[in-house]
Amino acid sequence: MCELFAFSSKNPKDLTEVLTQFYARSVNQPNGWGLAEYDDAGRMCMHKSPERAVDSKVLPHLIGQGIPRKRVLGHIRLATVGSINVKNCHPFVAYDGTGREWTLVHNGTVFNSAALIRYYRRQEGETDSERLLLYLMDLIDEKTRRVGHPLDKDERFDVIQSMLASIADRNKLNLFIYDSEQFYVHANNAPAMLYYLEDKTPGDESLMFATQPFTEGDWKEVPKTRLLAFNDGKFTREGVNHHIMFHSDYYRIMLEPTHPEMDFSFL
């Protein structure tokens, strides 16, 4: 399976060891890696490649030694939808009608969503994850036109929350989104497949997320079936629980060859 990483802190921290450990996990996720980080103005620096992260000659230089970081998204890919090329590597980036930059990383498969079909011809790659982001951009633009002004962070939260609740049925939606101002996290997989490690030191708060705990510390499960926002190392908002879980048994049933009515020729 793909693995996700996210980090947010009040003050810059040295993530050299943490990032090295995270990307070392790519031994079993050979189909690509991505690393995105953001400055205080929300500007992004992103690199990705369709190779195993542990084989990359570039990634160790990007991780560097002792580089302070405040906002990071990472991904290592085990392909389920889409071929092995850079256009299918995470993170995915898109812009809404106001010019706001959005970033998404996703672990999962979207089996059931007619709303995404229209994006097959619009996307650059082939993944359902990219289609999710393009769908979100249309929803953001639609809401912006309706209210007549650029959306504030609470209005953006509401759009994302509504979208995820509407397509959660039979879809695995463990993901992070960054909108150049705040992060969002959502998990709906059973058993748990997204965890966080929190440092509540006053004035030096931080949050680190991963698909599986890979450092020492009191890792906790991310609350499922609801959207959460976080920024500067703190959770800032928790959304309404939509109660729609994705169960691994359903995934196995969907891929079972005794179900010929399911067409997976696009995988």
Side-chain angles (χ1 to χ4, degrees), residues 95-239:
Y95 298 84
D96 66 26
T98 70
R100 178 178 293 276
E101 182 180 74
W102 295 73
T103 313
L104 176 144
V105 293
H106 172 219
N107 171 27
T109 303
V110 179
F111 292 109
N112 177 46
S113 184
L116 302 187
I117 293 175
R118 74 187 80 170
Y119 302 101
Y120 276 92
R121 296 186 181 276
R122 285 177 48 184
Q123 66 185 136
E124 294 184 7
E126 305 157 294
T127 68
D128 45 15
S129 305
E130 184 184 5
R131 293 192 288 275
L132 275 176
L133 183 58
L134 293 175
Y135 180 41
L136 175 59
M137 294 302 91
D138 279 354
L139 294 176
I140 290 289
D141 289 343
E142 179 184 338
K143 179 66 176 290
T144 301
R145 288 190 294 269
R146 191 161 65 247
V147 300
H149 61 75
L151 305 184
D152 62 29
K153 62 182 181 181
D154 288 322
E155 290 169 319
R156 297 193 299 272
F157 184 103
D158 292 340
V159 172
I160 300 169
Q161 173 174 252
S162 177
M163 179 193 78
L164 294 174
S166 72
I167 65 171
D169 183 33
R170 290 172 284 170
N171 294 320
K172 182 180 176 182
L173 299 172
N174 289 354
L175 54 81
F176 293 98
I177 297 170
Y178 185 60
D179 68 3
S180 300
E181 182 179 357
Q182 68 178 357
F183 287 94
Y184 310 86
V185 58
H186 178 271
N188 73 328
N189 189 71
M193 292 182 68
L194 206 55
Y195 297 82
Y196 71 96
L197 182 63
E198 187 173 18
D199 182 348
K200 294 184 177 182
T201 304
D204 198 29
E205 297 89 350
S206 69
L207 285 166
M208 183 163 61
F209 298 82
T211 303
Q212 294 291 336
F214 65 95
T215 69
E216 294 182 357
D218 184 19
W219 289 85
K220 299 176 182 178
E221 293 183 16
V222 171
K224 298 185 186 71
T225 64
R226 71 209 69 184
L227 183 67
L228 296 99
F230 62 96
N231 197 32
D232 289 341
K234 293 181 179 180
F235 287 107
T236 56
R237 182 176 172 185
E238 179 176 338

